[in-house]
PDB file of all heavy atoms in Angstrom:
ATOM      1  N   TYR V  54     -29.448 -27.543 -34.485  1.00 89.00           N
ATOM      2  CA  TYR V  54     -30.368 -27.587 -33.347  1.00 89.00           C
ATOM      3  C   TYR V  54     -29.595 -27.864 -32.061  1.00 89.00           C
ATOM      4  O   TYR V  54     -28.759 -28.765 -32.005  1.00 89.00           O
ATOM      5  CB  TYR V  54     -31.438 -28.653 -33.571  1.00 89.00           C
ATOM      6  CG  TYR V  54     -32.516 -28.198 -34.526  1.00 89.00           C
ATOM      7  CD1 TYR V  54     -32.500 -28.576 -35.859  1.00 89.00           C
ATOM      8  CD2 TYR V  54     -33.533 -27.355 -34.093  1.00 89.00           C
ATOM      9  CE1 TYR V  54     -33.470 -28.140 -36.741  1.00 89.00           C
ATOM     10  CE2 TYR V  54     -34.509 -26.912 -34.963  1.00 89.00           C
ATOM     11  CZ  TYR V  54     -34.474 -27.308 -36.289  1.00 89.00           C
ATOM     12  OH  TYR V  54     -35.441 -26.865 -37.148  1.00 89.00           O
ATOM     13  N   GLY V  55     -29.865 -27.049 -31.070  1.00 84.00           N
ATOM     14  CA  GLY V  55     -29.138 -27.129 -29.813  1.00 84.00           C
ATOM     15  C   GLY V  55     -27.877 -26.305 -29.799  1.00 84.00           C
ATOM     16  O   GLY V  55     -27.231 -26.159 -28.758  1.00 84.00           O
ATOM     17  N   SER V  56     -27.510 -25.750 -30.947  1.00 87.00           N
ATOM     18  CA  SER V  56     -26.321 -24.907 -31.047  1.00 87.00           C
ATOM     19  C   SER V  56     -26.727 -23.478 -31.402  1.00 87.00           C
ATOM     20  O   SER V  56     -26.794 -22.609 -30.543  1.00 87.00           O
ATOM     21  CB  SER V  56     -25.358 -25.478 -32.093  1.00 87.00           C
ATOM     22  OG  SER V  56     -24.243 -24.632 -32.257  1.00 87.00           O
ATOM     23  N   THR V  57     -27.006 -23.249 -32.673  1.00 89.00           N
ATOM     24  CA  THR V  57     -27.445 -21.902 -33.080  1.00 89.00           C
ATOM     25  C   THR V  57     -28.968 -21.763 -33.058  1.00 89.00           C
ATOM     26  O   THR V  57     -29.472 -20.652 -33.123  1.00 89.00           O
ATOM     27  CB  THR V  57     -26.924 -21.584 -34.492  1.00 89.00           C
ATOM     28  OG1 THR V  57     -27.424 -22.560 -35.410  1.00 89.00           O
ATOM     29  CG2 THR V  57     -25.415 -21.577 -34.525  1.00 89.00           C
ATOM     30  N   VAL V  58     -29.677 -22.880 -33.005  1.00 88.00           N
ATOM     31  CA  VAL V  58     -31.142 -22.869 -32.898  1.00 88.00           C
ATOM     32  C   VAL V  58     -31.502 -23.383 -31.511  1.00 88.00           C
ATOM     33  O   VAL V  58     -31.258 -24.551 -31.189  1.00 88.00           O
ATOM     34  CB  VAL V  58     -31.800 -23.737 -33.990  1.00 88.00           C
ATOM     35  CG1 VAL V  58     -33.320 -23.679 -33.860  1.00 88.00           C
ATOM     36  CG2 VAL V  58     -31.377 -23.267 -35.371  1.00 88.00           C
ATOM     37  N   ASP V  59     -32.079 -22.518 -30.687  1.00 85.00           N
ATOM     38  CA  ASP V  59     -32.396 -22.842 -29.297  1.00 85.00           C
ATOM     39  C   ASP V  59     -33.898 -23.071 -29.175  1.00 85.00           C
ATOM     40  O   ASP V  59     -34.692 -22.142 -29.292  1.00 85.00           O
ATOM     41  CB  ASP V  59     -31.959 -21.698 -28.378  1.00 85.00           C
ATOM     42  CG  ASP V  59     -32.127 -22.047 -26.904  1.00 85.00           C
ATOM     43  OD1 ASP V  59     -32.594 -23.160 -26.596  1.00 85.00           O
ATOM     44  OD2 ASP V  59     -31.793 -21.201 -26.050  1.00 85.00           O
ATOM     45  N   LEU V  60     -34.286 -24.318 -28.956  1.00 83.00           N
ATOM     46  CA  LEU V  60     -35.701 -24.638 -28.777  1.00 83.00           C
ATOM     47  C   LEU V  60     -36.124 -24.582 -27.320  1.00 83.00           C
ATOM     48  O   LEU V  60     -37.324 -24.538 -27.028  1.00 83.00           O
ATOM     49  CB  LEU V  60     -35.997 -26.037 -29.340  1.00 83.00           C
ATOM     50  CG  LEU V  60     -35.789 -26.222 -30.849  1.00 83.00           C
ATOM     51  CD1 LEU V  60     -36.177 -27.636 -31.259  1.00 83.00           C
ATOM     52  CD2 LEU V  60     -36.607 -25.212 -31.631  1.00 83.00           C
ATOM     53  N   GLU V  61     -35.164 -24.605 -26.408  1.00 81.00           N
ATOM     54  CA  GLU V  61     -35.502 -24.603 -24.989  1.00 81.00           C
ATOM     55  C   GLU V  61     -35.882 -23.215 -24.496  1.00 81.00           C
ATOM     56  O   GLU V  61     -36.704 -23.074 -23.590  1.00 81.00           O
ATOM     57  CB  GLU V  61     -34.333 -25.157 -24.174  1.00 81.00           C
ATOM     58  CG  GLU V  61     -34.014 -26.618 -24.466  1.00 81.00           C
ATOM     59  CD  GLU V  61     -32.918 -27.151 -23.575  1.00 81.00           C
ATOM     60  OE1 GLU V  61     -32.372 -26.351 -22.766  1.00 81.00           O
ATOM     61  OE2 GLU V  61     -32.597 -28.348 -23.662  1.00 81.00           O
ATOM     62  N   ARG V  62     -35.267 -22.166 -25.064  1.00 83.00           N
ATOM     63  CA  ARG V  62     -35.599 -20.791 -24.674  1.00 83.00           C
ATOM     64  C   ARG V  62     -35.963 -20.003 -25.939  1.00 83.00           C
ATOM     65  O   ARG V  62     -35.191 -19.171 -26.410  1.00 83.00           O
ATOM     66  CB  ARG V  62     -34.424 -20.136 -23.944  1.00 83.00           C
ATOM     67  CG  ARG V  62     -34.046 -20.832 -22.644  1.00 83.00           C
ATOM     68  CD  ARG V  62     -32.822 -20.184 -22.018  1.00 83.00           C
ATOM     69  NE  ARG V  62     -33.109 -18.873 -21.497  1.00 83.00           N
ATOM     70  CZ  ARG V  62     -33.455 -18.623 -20.236  1.00 83.00           C
ATOM     71  NH1 ARG V  62     -33.565 -19.614 -19.380  1.00 83.00           N
ATOM     72  NH2 ARG V  62     -33.683 -17.396 -19.820  1.00 83.00           N
ATOM     73  N   PRO V  63     -37.132 -20.280 -26.490  1.00 84.00           N
ATOM     74  CA  PRO V  63     -37.506 -19.637 -27.757  1.00 84.00           C
ATOM     75  C   PRO V  63     -37.827 -18.159 -27.579  1.00 84.00           C
ATOM     76  O   PRO V  63     -38.097 -17.682 -26.474  1.00 84.00           O
ATOM     77  CB  PRO V  63     -38.759 -20.417 -28.182  1.00 84.00           C
ATOM     78  CG  PRO V  63     -39.347 -20.897 -26.890  1.00 84.00           C
ATOM     79  CD  PRO V  63     -38.178 -21.182 -25.986  1.00 84.00           C
ATOM     80  N   SER V  64     -37.789 -17.446 -28.683  1.00 85.00           N
ATOM     81  CA  SER V  64     -38.186 -16.036 -28.713  1.00 85.00           C
ATOM     82  C   SER V  64     -39.684 -15.957 -28.987  1.00 85.00           C
ATOM     83  O   SER V  64     -40.204 -16.634 -29.877  1.00 85.00           O
ATOM     84  CB  SER V  64     -37.413 -15.282 -29.802  1.00 85.00           C
ATOM     85  OG  SER V  64     -37.953 -13.997 -29.996  1.00 85.00           O
ATOM     86  N   TRP V  65     -40.376 -15.125 -28.203  1.00 86.00           N
ATOM     87  CA  TRP V  65     -41.820 -14.941 -28.371  1.00 86.00           C
ATOM     88  C   TRP V  65     -42.138 -13.660 -29.140  1.00 86.00           C
ATOM     89  O   TRP V  65     -43.296 -13.245 -29.199  1.00 86.00           O
ATOM     90  CB  TRP V  65     -42.517 -14.888 -27.016  1.00 86.00           C
ATOM     91  CG  TRP V  65     -42.285 -16.066 -26.122  1.00 86.00           C
ATOM     92  CD1 TRP V  65     -41.801 -16.044 -24.854  1.00 86.00           C
ATOM     93  CD2 TRP V  65     -42.542 -17.444 -26.410  1.00 86.00           C
ATOM     94  NE1 TRP V  65     -41.714 -17.304 -24.332  1.00 86.00           N
ATOM     95  CE2 TRP V  65     -42.171 -18.187 -25.268  1.00 86.00           C
ATOM     96  CE3 TRP V  65     -43.027 -18.123 -27.524  1.00 86.00           C
ATOM     97  CZ2 TRP V  65     -42.290 -19.570 -25.211  1.00 86.00           C
ATOM     98  CZ3 TRP V  65     -43.140 -19.499 -27.465  1.00 86.00           C
ATOM     99  CH2 TRP V  65     -42.784 -20.205 -26.322  1.00 86.00           C
ATOM    100  N   GLN V  66     -41.156 -13.004 -29.716  1.00 85.00           N
ATOM    101  CA  GLN V  66     -41.386 -11.726 -30.376  1.00 85.00           C
ATOM    102  C   GLN V  66     -42.066 -11.921 -31.727  1.00 85.00           C
ATOM    103  O   GLN V  66     -41.839 -12.905 -32.421  1.00 85.00           O
ATOM    104  CB  GLN V  66     -40.062 -10.987 -30.574  1.00 85.00           C
ATOM    105  CG  GLN V  66     -39.313 -10.742 -29.273  1.00 85.00           C
ATOM    106  CD  GLN V  66     -37.934 -10.180 -29.507  1.00 85.00           C
ATOM    107  OE1 GLN V  66     -37.782  -9.003 -29.786  1.00 85.00           O
ATOM    108  NE2 GLN V  66     -36.924 -11.023 -29.396  1.00 85.00           N
ATOM    109  N   ALA V  67     -42.873 -10.947 -32.096  1.00 80.00           N
ATOM    110  CA  ALA V  67     -43.523 -10.910 -33.415  1.00 80.00           C
ATOM    111  C   ALA V  67     -44.293 -12.191 -33.704  1.00 80.00           C
ATOM    112  O   ALA V  67     -44.272 -12.723 -34.817  1.00 80.00           O
ATOM    113  CB  ALA V  67     -42.496 -10.645 -34.514  1.00 80.00           C
ATOM    114  N   GLN V  68     -45.005 -12.698 -32.680  1.00 81.00           N
ATOM    115  CA  GLN V  68     -45.819 -13.873 -32.915  1.00 81.00           C
ATOM    116  C   GLN V  68     -47.074 -13.494 -33.697  1.00 81.00           C
ATOM    117  O   GLN V  68     -47.577 -12.383 -33.601  1.00 81.00           O
ATOM    118  CB  GLN V  68     -46.239 -14.503 -31.590  1.00 81.00           C
ATOM    119  CG  GLN V  68     -45.113 -15.110 -30.798  1.00 81.00           C
ATOM    120  CD  GLN V  68     -45.626 -15.808 -29.563  1.00 81.00           C
ATOM    121  OE1 GLN V  68     -46.004 -16.969 -29.607  1.00 81.00           O
ATOM    122  NE2 GLN V  68     -45.678 -15.087 -28.477  1.00 81.00           N
ATOM    123  N   GLY V  69     -47.585 -14.413 -34.435  1.00 82.00           N
ATOM    124  CA  GLY V  69     -48.821 -14.188 -35.182  1.00 82.00           C
ATOM    125  C   GLY V  69     -49.547 -15.496 -35.397  1.00 82.00           C
ATOM    126  O   GLY V  69     -48.993 -16.586 -35.225  1.00 82.00           O
ATOM    127  N   ASN V  70     -50.807 -15.384 -35.777  1.00 85.00           N
ATOM    128  CA  ASN V  70     -51.629 -16.567 -36.027  1.00 85.00           C
ATOM    129  C   ASN V  70     -52.517 -16.272 -37.220  1.00 85.00           C
ATOM    130  O   ASN V  70     -53.642 -15.789 -37.079  1.00 85.00           O
ATOM    131  CB  ASN V  70     -52.463 -16.911 -34.788  1.00 85.00           C
ATOM    132  CG  ASN V  70     -53.196 -18.236 -34.923  1.00 85.00           C
ATOM    133  OD1 ASN V  70     -53.369 -18.752 -36.025  1.00 85.00           O
ATOM    134  ND2 ASN V  70     -53.629 -18.789 -33.806  1.00 85.00           N
ATOM    135  N   ASP V  71     -51.986 -16.530 -38.412  1.00 86.00           N
ATOM    136  CA  ASP V  71     -52.747 -16.238 -39.627  1.00 86.00           C
ATOM    137  C   ASP V  71     -54.003 -17.087 -39.723  1.00 86.00           C
ATOM    138  O   ASP V  71     -55.036 -16.626 -40.227  1.00 86.00           O
ATOM    139  CB  ASP V  71     -51.865 -16.465 -40.854  1.00 86.00           C
ATOM    140  CG  ASP V  71     -50.872 -15.339 -41.073  1.00 86.00           C
ATOM    141  OD1 ASP V  71     -50.901 -14.380 -40.284  1.00 86.00           O
ATOM    142  OD2 ASP V  71     -50.063 -15.416 -42.009  1.00 86.00           O
ATOM    143  N   ALA V  72     -53.933 -18.330 -39.247  1.00 87.00           N
ATOM    144  CA  ALA V  72     -55.112 -19.195 -39.310  1.00 87.00           C
ATOM    145  C   ALA V  72     -56.240 -18.640 -38.438  1.00 87.00           C
ATOM    146  O   ALA V  72     -57.408 -18.633 -38.838  1.00 87.00           O
ATOM    147  CB  ALA V  72     -54.745 -20.612 -38.882  1.00 87.00           C
ATOM    148  N   GLY V  73     -55.885 -18.169 -37.238  1.00 89.00           N
ATOM    149  CA  GLY V  73     -56.894 -17.571 -36.371  1.00 89.00           C
ATOM    150  C   GLY V  73     -57.469 -16.294 -36.963  1.00 89.00           C
ATOM    151  O   GLY V  73     -58.667 -16.022 -36.845  1.00 89.00           O
TER     152      GLY V  73
END
Side-chain angles (χ1 to χ4, degrees):
Y54 282 99
S56 177
T57 59
V58 181
D59 186 359
L60 297 182
E61 296 184 357
R62 298 176 70 94
S64 170
W65 304 124
Q66 302 172 78
Q68 292 185 86
N70 188 342
D71 283 359

